[in-house]
Amino acid sequence: MNYNSDAEAIDAFSKVYEDVRKEISTVIVGQNEVVKSVLISIFSNGHCLLVGVPGLAKTLLVQTVASVLDLSFNRIQFTPDLMPSDIVGSEILGEDRNFKFIKGPIFSNIILADEINRTPPKTQAALLEAMQEKSVTAAGITHTLSKPFFVLATQNPIEQEGTYPLPEAQLDRFMFHVDLGYPTFEEELNIVKNTTGNVKHQTKHILNGEQISFFQDLVKKIPVPNQVLEYAVKLVAKTRPQTDYAPELINKYLSWGAGPRASQYLVIGAKCHAAINGKYSPDVEDVQAVASSILKHRIVRNYKAEADGLSAESIIQNLF
């Protein structure tokens, strides 16, 4: 893709993002913030954790995004008996008496890891390693995953019996934690109208993998003013109790704060948020726009916060 300047490329990116969003909205009714978070994750080369009750079209959302972006898509249903080889792949003995590697479903551009907390830690770790390294190793041989590579993992907030909650160190691998709520009455009315008839909408391909990789690189190149960079890092530093930057609220209600990866994601997320809105550089408002979804799964509330009914989101809002 050839543009005369980065500014021209950002203008094109902003327009393409709007085209992608509109095309997705022809299938996905409402959930505008969820769609925006998923797209920012993709263009920031990150991953997304989606939390919502069953039946809120999480699978349809990912399928639609994959179709509009012209990317390959695989859905993996996580269960207690799922093994790492079921995700990554395994070596089998071929007819020529030589071992050959059979690729697992992880070898796709977009992966829907459905109910990731229902599989044991060993299998969770296999997925999370692939997310971090963008490659998998089998029998001592490293296999590179497709580019772009994006994981959207889902968790069901109810029915927690027999689940394996992701530890904080593994949650930290996800750029965004997005809560998926119920649709409004009008939205649900439209959903029922659109899905109970014979009409099927075919989405158009707006982008492809090569163009997505170009825009991912473009987002990285966007300059960040020093004051915005300092604001993002200081915001993360404020979440760490018993440190110099921590306000009394944090010392009282948090037992653990966010790590340096949160600062990295805040800056790259702010860059992408600015670009999709046609801005050539992020400001403080762009950092704040992505802060809640980036920070809320990286802070650990103590019993006082739970007793006083303080959510992670409300604590983060207080930091602004």
Side-chain angles (χ1 to χ4, degrees):
M1 301 180 70
N2 295 319
Y3 295 101
N4 295 326
S5 64
D6 287 346
E8 186 180 317
I10 290 173
D11 291 338
F13 177 46
S14 176
K15 182 180 182 304
V16 165
Y17 167 82
E18 190 61 26
D19 292 341
V20 169
R21 188 196 62 78
K22 286 181 179 177
E23 189 63 26
I24 292 172
S25 69
T26 62
V27 177
I28 303 298
V29 178
Q31 306 295 359
N32 294 327
E33 288 302 310
V34 176
V35 171
K36 182 169 79 170
S37 295
V38 169
L39 292 176
I40 289 178
S41 292
I42 292 175
F43 289 116
S44 300
N45 205 15
H47 307 284
C48 192
L49 179 66
L50 202 58
V51 179
V53 298
L56 295 180
K58 296 185 288 290
T59 302
L60 180 61
L61 167 63
V62 185
Q63 286 177 329
T64 305
V65 169
S67 174
V68 173
L69 299 182
D70 196 17
L71 297 174
S72 58
F73 162 74
N74 273 329
R75 176 180 178 271
I76 305 173
Q77 180 64 52
F78 280 72
T79 56
D81 60 348
L82 196 72
M83 298 295 290
S85 59
D86 296 327
I87 297 174
V88 173
S90 59
E91 286 204 329
I92 65 168
L93 189 62
E95 294 179 358
D96 56 359
R97 311 303 294 173
N98 289 320
F99 283 98
K100 61 180 180 179
F101 180 68
I102 303 299
K103 293 180 177 180
I106 195 75
F107 287 87
S108 191
N109 294 125
I110 294 184
I111 302 296
L112 174 60
D114 215 357
E115 296 192 284
I116 190 174
N117 57 329
R118 295 202 179 276
T119 202
K122 187 175 182 180
T123 306
Q124 291 175 354
L127 174 69
L128 294 163
E129 179 188 1
M131 290 166 51
Q132 182 67 20
E133 306 299 333
K134 306 293 174 70
S135 63
V136 298
T137 303
I141 300 175
T142 300
H143 303 271
T144 303
L145 297 174
S146 306
K147 290 184 180 181
F149 177 70
F150 171 69
V151 172
L152 192 147
T154 70
Q155 285 190 170
N156 184 349
I158 57 177
E159 300 176 15
Q160 294 301 311
E161 296 82 3
T163 61
Y164 304 85
L166 290 172
E168 280 70 22
Q170 293 185 353
L171 283 172
D172 195 46
R173 303 296 176 96
F174 290 95
M175 180 177 183
F176 279 143
H177 176 291
V178 180
D179 291 308
L180 191 62
Y182 290 111
T184 64
F185 179 81
E186 290 76 15
E187 289 171 348
E188 190 163 354
L189 202 60
N190 285 331
I191 290 169
V192 174
K193 286 179 181 178
N194 294 342
T195 57
T196 55
N198 288 326
V199 179
K200 288 188 177 181
H201 182 81
Q202 295 293 325
T203 55
K204 296 183 294 185
H205 300 320
I206 306 295
L207 285 173
N208 58 38
E210 183 181 351
Q211 292 169 318
I212 292 168
S213 295
F214 171 85
F215 287 128
Q216 286 175 337
D217 292 337
L218 174 68
V219 168
K220 286 182 182 178
K221 292 185 343 188
I222 293 174
V224 182
N226 284 336
Q227 67 268 25
V228 176
L229 200 64
E230 291 176 7
Y231 178 84
V233 175
K234 190 174 290 186
L235 185 62
V236 174
K238 285 181 179 181
T239 67
R240 300 164 186 163
Q242 313 309 324
T243 60
D244 293 341
Y245 289 104
E248 185 55 37
L249 176 82
I250 296 301
N251 292 330
K252 182 178 180 181
Y253 288 119
L254 291 190
S255 57
W256 202 256
R261 191 179 276 125
S263 299
Q264 295 172 324
Y265 279 145
L266 272 181
V267 172
I268 194 73
K271 286 182 178 187
C272 191
H273 189 272
I276 64 176
N277 286 288
K279 296 191 289 186
Y280 305 134
S281 183
D283 52 30
V284 168
E285 286 73 20
D286 293 304
V287 176
Q288 293 177 345
V290 298
S292 182
S293 295
I294 288 175
L295 292 176
K296 65 184 175 183
H297 58 298
R298 293 181 163 88
I299 61 176
V300 180
R301 294 175 299 152
N302 59 24
Y303 70 93
K304 291 180 183 177
E306 296 184 11
D308 290 350
L310 274 181
S311 65
E313 291 91 336
S314 63
I315 293 173
I316 293 166
Q317 290 297 324
N318 272 288
L319 295 179
F320 294 161

